[in-house]
Amino acid sequence: MKPQILQLNPILIPAANEELAALYEVHKYFEIEDQAVWLAQHGPSIQAVITGGHTGISRAMLEQLPALKVVAVNGVGTDAVDLAYCRERGLPVTATLGALTEDVADLAIGLLIAACRNICAGDRFVRDGQWERFPQPSAIPLARRFSGMRVGIVGMGRVGRAVATRAAAFGCPIRYTDLQRMNDLPHEFVSDLVDLARDSDALVLCAAADKAEGIVNAEVLDALGPRGFLVNVARGRLVNEVDLAQAIEAGSIAGAGLDVFVDEPRVPLALRQSDRTTLQAHRASATWETRAAMIRMVLDSVADGLAGKRPSMSLTT
Ligand code: 8YV
Protein backbone atom coordinates (compact mmCIF):
# COMPACT_ATOMS: atom_id res chain seq x y z
CA MET A 1 0.00 0.00 0.00
CA LYS A 2 1.23 3.51 -0.80
CA PRO A 3 2.04 5.82 2.13
CA GLN A 4 -0.76 8.24 2.92
CA ILE A 5 -0.06 11.94 2.59
CA LEU A 6 -2.18 14.84 3.78
CA GLN A 7 -1.90 17.93 1.56
CA LEU A 8 -3.23 21.11 3.16
CA ASN A 9 -2.87 23.53 0.22
CA PRO A 10 -3.11 23.25 -3.56
CA ILE A 11 0.19 22.71 -5.40
CA LEU A 12 0.40 24.67 -8.65
CA ILE A 13 3.08 22.65 -10.45
CA PRO A 14 1.29 19.89 -12.44
CA ALA A 15 4.35 17.61 -12.67
CA ALA A 16 4.68 17.66 -8.88
CA ASN A 17 1.04 16.68 -8.44
CA GLU A 18 1.59 13.79 -10.87
CA GLU A 19 4.70 12.67 -9.01
CA LEU A 20 2.90 12.82 -5.68
CA ALA A 21 -0.05 10.86 -7.03
CA ALA A 22 2.25 8.19 -8.48
CA LEU A 23 4.15 7.68 -5.23
CA TYR A 24 1.56 8.24 -2.53
CA GLU A 25 -2.08 8.19 -1.68
CA VAL A 26 -2.64 11.93 -1.50
CA HIS A 27 -5.54 13.36 0.50
CA LYS A 28 -6.32 16.94 -0.42
CA TYR A 29 -7.59 18.35 2.85
CA PHE A 30 -8.86 21.56 1.24
CA GLU A 31 -11.29 19.50 -0.89
CA ILE A 32 -12.71 17.48 2.01
CA GLU A 33 -16.16 18.58 3.12
CA ASP A 34 -16.41 17.38 6.69
CA GLN A 35 -12.80 17.78 7.73
CA ALA A 36 -13.30 16.99 11.42
CA VAL A 37 -15.01 13.67 10.70
CA TRP A 38 -12.45 12.81 8.03
CA LEU A 39 -9.53 13.57 10.32
CA ALA A 40 -10.88 11.48 13.17
CA GLN A 41 -11.27 8.55 10.79
CA HIS A 42 -8.13 8.83 8.63
CA GLY A 43 -5.70 10.81 10.81
CA PRO A 44 -4.08 7.69 12.32
CA SER A 45 -2.90 6.48 8.89
CA ILE A 46 -1.33 9.75 7.68
CA GLN A 47 2.47 9.57 7.47
CA ALA A 48 3.38 12.90 5.90
CA VAL A 49 1.88 16.38 5.73
CA ILE A 50 2.55 18.98 3.05
CA THR A 51 1.49 22.48 4.01
CA GLY A 52 2.14 26.11 3.06
CA GLY A 53 4.20 28.57 5.07
CA HIS A 54 1.21 30.70 5.92
CA THR A 55 -1.07 27.73 6.63
CA GLY A 56 1.33 25.68 8.75
CA ILE A 57 -0.39 23.05 10.86
CA SER A 58 -2.15 23.38 14.19
CA ARG A 59 -1.02 21.45 17.21
CA ALA A 60 -4.55 20.03 17.49
CA MET A 61 -4.20 18.53 14.03
CA LEU A 62 -0.70 17.21 14.73
CA GLU A 63 -2.08 15.45 17.79
CA GLN A 64 -4.55 13.61 15.56
CA LEU A 65 -1.74 12.30 13.34
CA PRO A 66 0.10 9.78 15.54
CA ALA A 67 1.88 7.99 12.63
CA LEU A 68 3.28 11.22 11.18
CA LYS A 69 6.92 11.01 10.06
CA VAL A 70 7.42 14.43 8.47
CA VAL A 71 5.81 17.86 8.04
CA ALA A 72 7.06 19.46 4.83
CA VAL A 73 6.38 23.19 4.66
CA ASN A 74 6.19 24.47 1.09
CA GLY A 75 7.65 27.81 2.14
CA VAL A 76 10.21 29.36 4.49
CA GLY A 77 7.97 30.70 7.25
CA THR A 78 7.40 28.17 10.01
CA ASP A 79 5.62 30.54 12.38
CA ALA A 80 2.36 28.59 11.91
CA VAL A 81 3.89 25.33 13.17
CA ASP A 82 4.56 24.54 16.82
CA LEU A 83 8.23 23.72 16.33
CA ALA A 84 8.88 23.10 20.02
CA TYR A 85 6.16 20.44 20.10
CA CYS A 86 7.50 18.81 16.91
CA ARG A 87 11.03 18.85 18.32
CA GLU A 88 9.79 17.09 21.47
CA ARG A 89 8.05 14.53 19.31
CA GLY A 90 11.18 13.99 17.20
CA LEU A 91 9.18 15.01 14.13
CA PRO A 92 11.08 16.62 11.24
CA VAL A 93 9.57 19.91 10.07
CA THR A 94 11.18 21.04 6.83
CA ALA A 95 11.16 24.37 4.98
CA THR A 96 12.24 25.30 1.46
CA LEU A 97 15.27 27.23 2.64
CA GLY A 98 16.88 29.37 -0.04
CA ALA A 99 14.43 28.48 -2.81
CA LEU A 100 12.37 31.65 -2.76
CA THR A 101 14.89 34.27 -1.68
CA GLU A 102 15.37 35.95 -5.07
CA ASP A 103 11.68 36.12 -5.96
CA VAL A 104 10.64 37.55 -2.62
CA ALA A 105 13.39 40.17 -2.80
CA ASP A 106 12.40 40.99 -6.39
CA LEU A 107 8.82 41.59 -5.32
CA ALA A 108 9.90 43.72 -2.37
CA ILE A 109 11.79 46.04 -4.72
CA GLY A 110 8.92 45.91 -7.23
CA LEU A 111 6.42 46.93 -4.56
CA LEU A 112 8.70 49.68 -3.33
CA ILE A 113 9.20 51.18 -6.78
CA ALA A 114 5.48 50.77 -7.53
CA ALA A 115 4.63 52.58 -4.29
CA CYS A 116 7.13 55.42 -4.81
CA ARG A 117 6.21 55.95 -8.45
CA ASN A 118 2.44 55.35 -8.07
CA ILE A 119 2.64 52.76 -10.82
CA CYS A 120 -0.68 51.08 -10.03
CA ALA A 121 -2.56 54.38 -9.65
CA GLY A 122 -1.02 55.47 -12.95
CA ASP A 123 -2.11 52.24 -14.57
CA ARG A 124 -5.68 52.76 -13.36
CA PHE A 125 -5.61 56.36 -14.63
CA VAL A 126 -4.76 55.24 -18.16
CA ARG A 127 -6.89 52.07 -18.10
CA ASP A 128 -10.03 53.89 -16.88
CA GLY A 129 -9.83 56.47 -19.69
CA GLN A 130 -8.98 59.26 -17.23
CA TRP A 131 -5.97 60.41 -19.24
CA GLU A 132 -8.21 61.41 -22.14
CA ARG A 133 -10.54 63.29 -19.80
CA PHE A 134 -7.73 64.99 -17.89
CA PRO A 135 -4.81 65.27 -20.36
CA GLN A 136 -2.97 68.04 -18.50
CA PRO A 137 0.17 66.70 -16.71
CA SER A 138 -0.99 68.22 -13.43
CA ALA A 139 -3.82 65.66 -13.29
CA ILE A 140 -1.39 63.21 -11.68
CA PRO A 141 0.74 64.33 -8.74
CA LEU A 142 4.50 64.02 -9.04
CA ALA A 143 5.91 60.81 -7.59
CA ARG A 144 8.99 60.08 -5.47
CA ARG A 145 12.40 58.91 -6.64
CA PHE A 146 13.39 55.45 -5.44
CA SER A 147 17.06 55.49 -6.44
CA GLY A 148 19.13 56.72 -3.53
CA MET A 149 16.39 56.36 -0.92
CA ARG A 150 17.51 55.43 2.58
CA VAL A 151 16.29 51.85 2.95
CA GLY A 152 15.80 50.27 6.37
CA ILE A 153 15.57 46.48 6.37
CA VAL A 154 13.84 44.67 9.20
CA GLY A 155 15.22 41.13 9.39
CA MET A 156 18.55 40.45 7.72
CA GLY A 157 18.07 36.79 6.84
CA ARG A 158 18.34 35.46 3.31
CA VAL A 159 15.54 37.70 1.96
CA GLY A 160 16.71 40.82 3.82
CA ARG A 161 20.19 40.38 2.40
CA ALA A 162 18.85 39.89 -1.13
CA VAL A 163 16.78 43.08 -0.76
CA ALA A 164 19.91 44.90 0.44
CA THR A 165 21.88 43.74 -2.63
CA ARG A 166 19.15 45.00 -4.94
CA ALA A 167 18.64 48.31 -3.13
CA ALA A 168 22.40 48.91 -3.08
CA ALA A 169 22.38 48.61 -6.89
CA PHE A 170 19.92 51.52 -6.90
CA GLY A 171 22.38 53.59 -4.88
CA CYS A 172 20.36 53.29 -1.67
CA PRO A 173 22.15 53.64 1.66
CA ILE A 174 21.10 50.65 3.78
CA ARG A 175 20.57 50.21 7.48
CA TYR A 176 19.03 47.20 9.16
CA THR A 177 17.71 45.84 12.37
CA ASP A 178 17.63 42.26 13.61
CA LEU A 179 18.01 40.44 16.89
CA GLN A 180 21.72 41.14 16.66
CA ARG A 181 24.37 42.87 14.55
CA MET A 182 25.78 40.76 11.70
CA ASN A 183 29.49 41.24 11.47
CA ASP A 184 29.79 40.05 7.88
CA LEU A 185 27.66 42.94 6.56
CA PRO A 186 28.90 46.39 5.54
CA HIS A 187 25.58 48.02 6.47
CA GLU A 188 24.83 49.98 9.62
CA PHE A 189 23.03 48.04 12.34
CA VAL A 190 20.34 49.92 14.27
CA SER A 191 19.07 48.04 17.30
CA ASP A 192 15.87 50.05 17.77
CA LEU A 193 13.12 49.81 15.17
CA VAL A 194 11.79 53.32 15.89
CA ASP A 195 15.26 54.75 15.31
CA LEU A 196 15.59 52.76 12.08
CA ALA A 197 12.19 54.03 10.89
CA ARG A 198 13.14 57.63 11.70
CA ASP A 199 16.32 57.34 9.61
CA SER A 200 14.68 55.55 6.65
CA ASP A 201 12.71 56.69 3.61
CA ALA A 202 11.52 53.11 3.19
CA LEU A 203 11.17 50.31 5.69
CA VAL A 204 11.17 46.79 4.20
CA LEU A 205 9.91 43.95 6.38
CA CYS A 206 11.71 40.65 5.78
CA ALA A 207 11.64 39.22 9.31
CA ALA A 208 10.34 35.91 10.58
CA ALA A 209 7.14 36.43 12.52
CA ASP A 210 7.69 33.82 15.22
CA LYS A 211 8.42 36.32 17.97
CA ALA A 212 7.67 39.67 16.40
CA GLU A 213 3.92 40.30 16.35
CA GLY A 214 2.76 43.89 15.81
CA ILE A 215 6.26 45.40 15.90
CA VAL A 216 5.37 47.97 13.24
CA ASN A 217 2.90 50.03 15.26
CA ALA A 218 1.78 53.67 15.38
CA GLU A 219 5.06 54.76 16.98
CA VAL A 220 7.14 53.17 14.22
CA LEU A 221 4.86 54.53 11.50
CA ASP A 222 5.02 58.03 13.02
CA ALA A 223 8.81 57.77 13.03
CA LEU A 224 8.76 56.69 9.36
CA GLY A 225 6.73 59.83 8.72
CA PRO A 226 4.73 61.40 5.90
CA ARG A 227 7.54 60.90 3.36
CA GLY A 228 8.19 57.29 4.35
CA PHE A 229 7.12 54.06 2.65
CA LEU A 230 6.49 50.64 4.17
CA VAL A 231 6.95 47.34 2.30
CA ASN A 232 5.95 43.99 3.77
CA VAL A 233 6.88 40.70 2.08
CA ALA A 234 7.19 38.74 5.34
CA ARG A 235 4.06 38.24 7.46
CA GLY A 236 1.05 40.48 7.96
CA ARG A 237 1.14 40.13 11.70
CA LEU A 238 4.47 41.90 11.96
CA VAL A 239 2.37 45.03 11.45
CA ASN A 240 -0.39 46.45 13.62
CA GLU A 241 -2.81 46.67 10.69
CA VAL A 242 -5.22 49.00 12.47
CA ASP A 243 -2.39 51.48 13.04
CA LEU A 244 -1.26 51.05 9.43
CA ALA A 245 -4.75 51.64 8.03
CA GLN A 246 -4.99 54.82 10.12
CA ALA A 247 -1.57 56.02 8.95
CA ILE A 248 -2.52 55.39 5.32
CA GLU A 249 -5.87 57.18 5.68
CA ALA A 250 -4.31 60.13 7.48
CA GLY A 251 -1.29 60.34 5.17
CA SER A 252 1.03 60.06 8.13
CA ILE A 253 3.12 57.73 5.96
CA ALA A 254 3.52 58.27 2.21
CA GLY A 255 2.55 54.79 1.09
CA ALA A 256 2.82 51.04 1.48
CA GLY A 257 3.52 48.04 -0.74
CA LEU A 258 1.99 44.98 0.88
CA ASP A 259 2.08 41.32 -0.11
CA VAL A 260 0.92 39.94 3.23
CA PHE A 261 -1.87 40.75 5.68
CA VAL A 262 -2.96 39.83 9.18
CA ASP A 263 -6.08 37.84 8.23
CA GLU A 264 -5.58 36.71 4.62
CA PRO A 265 -7.46 36.81 2.33
CA ARG A 266 -9.28 39.62 4.17
CA VAL A 267 -7.69 43.04 3.67
CA PRO A 268 -8.95 46.12 5.55
CA LEU A 269 -11.06 48.44 3.40
CA ALA A 270 -8.86 51.44 4.20
CA LEU A 271 -5.88 49.65 2.63
CA ARG A 272 -7.90 48.53 -0.40
CA GLN A 273 -9.41 51.92 -1.11
CA SER A 274 -6.30 54.06 -0.89
CA ASP A 275 -4.12 55.15 -3.80
CA ARG A 276 -1.25 55.18 -1.32
CA THR A 277 -1.17 51.38 -1.22
CA THR A 278 0.06 48.82 -3.75
CA LEU A 279 -1.31 45.40 -2.89
CA GLN A 280 -0.57 41.79 -3.79
CA ALA A 281 -2.33 38.57 -2.76
CA HIS A 282 0.63 36.90 -0.97
CA ARG A 283 2.44 36.27 -4.25
CA ALA A 284 6.09 36.89 -3.47
CA SER A 285 7.18 33.31 -4.19
CA ALA A 286 4.57 32.68 -6.87
CA THR A 287 6.65 32.13 -10.00
CA TRP A 288 6.99 28.91 -11.97
CA GLU A 289 10.70 28.81 -11.29
CA THR A 290 10.49 29.23 -7.54
CA ARG A 291 7.43 27.09 -6.97
CA ALA A 292 9.04 24.26 -8.97
CA ALA A 293 12.22 24.53 -6.89
CA MET A 294 10.20 24.66 -3.66
CA ILE A 295 8.08 21.62 -4.42
CA ARG A 296 11.21 19.65 -5.41
CA MET A 297 12.54 20.29 -1.90
CA VAL A 298 9.19 19.29 -0.42
CA LEU A 299 9.13 16.03 -2.41
CA ASP A 300 12.67 15.22 -1.29
CA SER A 301 11.83 16.00 2.33
CA VAL A 302 8.75 13.79 2.23
CA ALA A 303 10.72 10.92 0.68
CA ASP A 304 13.46 11.22 3.32
CA GLY A 305 10.98 11.51 6.17
CA LEU A 306 9.05 8.45 5.05
CA ALA A 307 12.29 6.49 4.67
CA GLY A 308 13.18 7.34 8.27
CA LYS A 309 16.08 9.56 7.17
CA ARG A 310 16.62 13.07 8.54
CA PRO A 311 15.56 15.46 5.75
CA SER A 312 18.37 17.91 5.03
CA MET A 313 15.96 20.85 5.39
CA SER A 314 14.71 19.74 8.81
CA LEU A 315 14.49 22.51 11.39
CA THR A 316 13.52 20.31 14.30
CA THR A 317 15.57 17.11 14.13
C1 8YV B 1 4.89 30.65 0.34
C2 8YV B 1 5.27 31.89 2.49
O1 8YV B 1 4.75 30.97 -0.97
O2 8YV B 1 7.41 30.91 2.37
C3 8YV B 1 6.49 31.29 3.07
O3 8YV B 1 6.54 31.22 4.30
O4 8YV B 1 4.48 32.41 3.17
C4 8YV B 1 5.00 31.92 1.06
O5 8YV B 1 5.91 32.75 0.45
C5 8YV B 1 3.72 29.84 0.72
O6 8YV B 1 4.06 29.12 1.82
C6 8YV B 1 3.32 28.92 -0.41
O7 8YV B 1 2.84 27.75 0.04
Side-chain angles (χ1 to χ4, degrees):
M1 223 175 81
K2 289 178 184 172
Q4 309 226 8
I5 306 271
L6 187 58
Q7 183 188 326
L8 302 189
N9 293 122
I11 291 167
L12 304 180
I13 302 292
N17 285 313
E18 283 162 26
E19 190 173 332
L20 278 166
L23 293 171
Y24 312 117
E25 192 172 332
V26 182
H27 302 281
K28 297 188 175 170
Y29 196 62
F30 48 92
E31 288 176 356
I32 292 167
E33 246 171 53
D34 197 335
Q35 294 177 329
V37 170
W38 186 92
L39 202 58
Q41 202 182 338
H42 298 274
S45 46
I46 296 298
Q47 290 185 277
V49 164
I50 300 177
T51 185
H54 184 66
T55 307
I57 182 168
S58 70
R59 177 153 172 179
M61 184 184 267
L62 284 170
E63 282 169 352
Q64 290 185 78
L65 308 174
L68 199 56
K69 292 183 172 169
V70 58
V71 175
V73 176
N74 191 21
V76 283
T78 50
D79 48 301
V81 184
D82 186 338
L83 293 183
Y85 167 75
C86 293
R87 214 166 272 133
E88 252 173 52
R89 204 170 133 173
L91 184 63
V93 176
T94 68
T96 62
L97 305 175
L100 46 67
T101 309
E102 310 305 329
D103 275 352
V104 178
D106 288 354
L107 193 75
I109 296 295
L111 283 171
L112 186 45
I113 296 178
C116 295
R117 299 298 302 268
N118 299 324
I119 290 178
C120 296
D123 175 87
R124 289 192 289 274
F125 187 80
V126 177
R127 195 181 294 278
D128 297 347
Q130 301 275 29
W131 197 12
E132 281 179 42
R133 290 174 57 210
F134 305 102
Q136 61 281 16
S138 58
I140 309 182
L142 291 175
R144 284 279 302 286
R145 175 188 293 169
F146 166 60
S147 288
M149 264 191 173
R150 297 168 304 160
V151 172
I153 297 177
V154 180
M156 235 352 167
R158 289 180 178 83
V159 171
R161 286 166 182 248
V163 169
T165 305
R166 286 158 176 70
F170 284 87
C172 299
I174 289 148
R175 294 185 183 81
Y176 71 98
T177 193
D178 205 308
L179 299 178
Q180 60 200 29
R181 181 191 311 274
M182 319 223 164
N183 293 325
D184 61 326
L185 289 175
H187 313 300
E188 188 185 330
F189 171 69
V190 181
S191 61
D192 185 62
L193 181 52
V194 176
D195 291 340
L196 181 70
R198 192 174 298 115
D199 287 338
S200 299
D201 299 306
L203 212 52
V204 183
L205 308 185
C206 306
D210 306 58
K211 301 180 193 98
E213 197 163 340
I215 54 169
V216 178
N217 53 19
E219 193 188 1
V220 172
L221 295 167
D222 278 351
L224 188 58
R227 288 178 56 78
F229 292 86
L230 178 74
V231 167
N232 191 0
V233 288
R235 282 287 183 269
R237 64 198 184 84
L238 290 172
V239 177
N240 180 323
E241 222 167 51
V242 174
D243 291 355
L244 175 61
Q246 275 169 7
I248 287 290
E249 269 183 329
S252 47
I253 65 167
L258 307 169
D259 183 47
V260 288
F261 303 88
V262 170
D263 184 24
E264 295 168 9
R266 282 161 286 277
V267 177
L269 199 61
L271 299 181
R272 286 193 276 134
Q273 282 182 335
S274 176
D275 264 357
R276 290 185 212 280
T277 56
T278 303
L279 309 176
Q280 287 284 292
H282 201 143
R283 302 281 296 163
S285 70
T287 67
W288 283 102
E289 293 81 357
T290 284
R291 287 294 168 84
M294 288 165 68
I295 201 65
R296 185 71 259 152
M297 289 178 173
V298 164
L299 285 161
D300 291 348
S301 295
V302 167
D304 284 347
L306 291 176
K309 284 199 279 180
R310 180 189 174 275
S312 61
M313 299 279 169
S314 175
L315 302 168
T316 46
T317 55

